[in-house]
Amino acid sequence: MVRRSVLFAPGDKPELMRKAAESDADVVVFDLEDAVAPADKRDAREAVREVLDDVESECEVCVRVNPIGISAATDIETALEGTRPDSVMLPKTEAAEDVRTIDRLLAERNADLPVLSLIESAAGVLRADEIAATDATDALLFGAEDLAADIGATRTSEGTEVLYARERTVIAASAAGVDAIDIVYTDYTDADGLREETTVAAGLGYDGKMAIHPDQVPVINDAFTPDDADIEWAERVLDARDRTDAGVFEVDGEMIDAPLIAQAERIVERARQAE
């Protein structure tokens, strides 16, 4: 399952949820948390349930519930009444026990769904490896805005104030073998800025990026899809590997060893998933 672009839609806006499901996003998230005012939560749950019942989409459909201890149980109960989502997103994930709790709530309703765990607090960052290693976790997502608020940092365009947490999250995800999804780029009108930040995220090792507007999806998908030159290089590397018993060999004047073989395999797999 490829998760290059993860597009959010407010749970109290059925028309926006349906529009998101029609986009080219790999994952669409019907949001019951930050995008919905407290007074509108009940109506949003019903709206999400209704849209889940009638939407037809080839993408992964996810529901972001509210944090453990607030209304996660109620959100899950309503979301699972009809057509079930493909996954559940847990915000403010601060410990492995949070994931186990959400997994238990799903199991009580005979639902075995992957959990996308959102890391957006100091506690969550420090326990990112434990959270990623939990059986139900299928992806780690990094939320920079909430983290900055939690630690009292000032958000800057350079992002140095959250760089450690951003890197720790992707390392924890990689160690556990789950997807790593990068921060939201809040200015959805700035395609060039989004492209630059997404390129940085891909360079850090992230598998995808969150989006708040459908116009961001093509830019994100493109950045996380290998280009023709990379694919051709990777195929030459793997072809040469298959024709030799040597641990180190040459391709186009470049010495190829195990790390570069792994990189080539990753490129080919990403290209396959993006088809």
Side-chain angles (χ1 to χ4, degrees):
M1 181 182 298
V2 62
R3 292 183 174 122
R4 297 167 300 177
S5 49
V6 179
L7 176 62
F8 287 76
D12 59 345
K13 299 289 191 297
E15 69 281 4
L16 294 183
M17 287 190 282
R18 291 188 172 91
K19 182 178 180 181
E22 295 171 356
S23 74
D24 290 328
D26 294 324
V27 184
V28 172
V29 182
F30 297 160
D31 190 7
L32 291 172
E33 196 217 6
D34 284 348
V36 180
D40 298 328
K41 298 285 188 184
R42 178 178 296 179
D43 290 343
R45 291 186 195 105
E46 293 300 323
V48 166
R49 183 183 59 76
E50 291 175 4
V51 173
L52 283 172
D53 280 344
D54 62 26
V55 72
E56 293 184 5
S57 178
E58 295 182 358
C59 68
E60 176 182 352
V61 178
C62 177
V63 173
R64 176 160 76 165
V65 299
N66 283 277
I68 297 295
I70 297 181
S71 60
T74 304
D75 293 340
I76 287 175
E77 182 177 4
T78 303
L80 298 184
E81 283 181 356
T83 302
R84 295 179 171 182
D86 300 307
S87 57
V88 170
M89 184 179 295
L90 179 62
K92 311 295 190 296
T93 310
E94 296 194 332
E97 187 58 33
D98 292 342
V99 183
R100 285 192 283 268
T101 297
I102 208 77
D103 191 39
R104 175 178 55 78
L105 292 172
L106 290 166
E108 289 173 355
R109 291 158 181 81
N110 297 314
D112 182 16
L113 301 178
V115 177
L116 313 186
S117 300
L118 190 50
I119 307 297
E120 47 189 342
S121 68
V125 170
L126 293 179
R127 300 183 186 121
D129 53 344
E130 301 172 14
I131 293 166
T134 305
D135 289 343
T137 295
D138 204 49
L140 286 189
L141 302 92
F142 176 50
E145 308 305 324
D146 283 273
L147 174 65
D150 186 49
I151 65 177
T154 300
R155 288 289 280 128
T156 65
S157 57
E158 294 81 11
T160 53
E161 69 283 352
V162 297
L163 181 57
Y164 166 76
R166 195 180 185 191
E167 292 179 331
R168 185 179 175 99
T169 300
V170 73
I171 289 171
S174 180
V178 300
D179 290 335
I181 310 299
D182 191 45
I183 56 180
V184 167
Y185 190 76
T186 56
D187 185 356
Y188 63 84
T189 65
D190 180 12
D192 290 337
L194 172 64
R195 186 174 294 105
E196 180 179 352
E197 186 175 274
T198 307
T199 300
V200 170
L204 288 174
Y206 275 90
D207 300 291
K209 191 172 183 65
M210 291 180 276
I212 56 174
H213 194 282
D215 288 348
Q216 294 181 311
V217 169
V219 175
I220 293 172
N221 282 351
D222 182 65
F224 285 105
T225 302
D227 61 27
D228 291 342
D230 287 339
I231 295 171
E232 290 170 3
W233 171 84
E235 289 176 340
R236 288 197 299 273
V237 167
L238 297 182
D239 180 63
R241 177 204 60 187
D242 293 341
R243 290 186 287 104
T244 183
D245 294 327
V248 179
F249 51 89
E250 181 181 332
V251 173
D252 300 337
E254 179 183 19
M255 295 307 297
I256 304 297
D257 56 7
L260 289 178
I261 293 172
Q263 181 180 348
E265 290 173 337
R266 181 180 175 88
I267 289 171
V268 169
E269 178 61 16
R270 280 181 175 273
R272 185 194 65 78
Q273 292 177 334
E275 291 177 351

